[in-house]
Amino acid sequence: MSERNPAHGAADERPEISLPPEVQMLQDVTPPFFPEGGSGMTIRVEWPPGHPGLPPHRHSGPAFGYVMEGAVRFELEGEPERVVEAGGTFWEPGGDVIHYQDANALSDAPTTFVVTMVCAPGQPMLTLVDEEELKERAHLRAPRPSKG
C-alpha cells in the first residue's frame, strides 16, 4: 500500500506537527476501521539471503512495517510487486487482501524488518491461503514481472 494514504488528507489540511530534528516521520497512513477488542503485536523478521518469505497469506487486521536491513520483495493483491529497501516502510489493510510476498529481495545478504500488526478480536494474526482460493482470485493479482 502507499506510504501516504490520500484518504488521510493533504499535509496542508492537517494541523502542523512540530517534531525535533532527531525525529523523522517514516509513515503516515490511515488504517481502516478496527473493532474494539483487537490486539496488537510487533514482530521482527530476519530472512537469510534469498529467503522466499511466507507463502501467500492474509492478516486479520492492518500491518505496518519498516525495513531495517536489506530489501523486502513485497506484494499485495491488486498491487504490483515492489522492493522496499532498508529505511523504507510498507503497510497493508489486512482483512480479505492476500499478501503474496514478503521475501528477501537479496540473494547475497540478509534482510530484517519489523512489523506491527493489529489483530481482529478472536482471529489469528496470520492465515495461509490455499491453492484453490489462489486460483479463484488469480484475476485480482497484478500482472507478474516478466523474467528475461
Side-chain angles (χ1 to χ4, degrees):
M1 306 286 325
S2 300
E3 291 181 26
R4 176 176 290 281
N5 183 341
H8 196 86
D12 59 353
E13 295 174 7
R14 290 180 291 175
E16 182 73 26
I17 298 174
S18 180
L19 298 173
E22 299 84 7
V23 177
Q24 179 184 12
M25 176 77 70
L26 296 177
Q27 183 172 235
D28 182 10
V29 299
T30 302
F33 168 77
F34 197 78
E36 186 176 334
S39 64
M41 68 175 66
T42 299
I43 63 170
R44 178 181 169 135
V45 179
E46 298 179 8
W47 291 145
H51 193 283
L54 296 174
H57 60 277
R58 59 175 47 99
H59 299 283
S60 63
F64 306 88
Y66 175 76
V67 181
M68 298 170 58
E69 170 189 27
V72 174
R73 185 169 313 284
F74 187 80
E75 181 189 0
L76 292 179
E77 186 171 66
E79 295 185 7
E81 164 186 311
R82 64 187 172 109
V83 173
V84 183
E85 297 181 351
T89 62
F90 56 88
W91 86 282
E92 60 184 281
D96 192 45
V97 176
I98 295 175
H99 184 171
Y100 283 98
Q101 293 189 73
D102 64 0
N104 184 347
L106 305 177
S107 61
D108 60 349
T111 288
T112 303
F113 57 97
V114 173
V115 181
T116 298
M117 293 172 277
V118 180
C119 301
Q123 298 295 313
M125 177 267 298
L126 179 141
T127 305
L128 297 180
V129 178
D130 63 35
E131 289 297 322
E132 183 178 329
E133 184 177 4
L134 289 174
K135 287 177 186 173
E136 290 171 4
R137 295 174 69 115
H139 66 285
L140 299 173
R141 191 171 186 183
R144 308 292 301 130
S146 59
K147 295 189 180 200

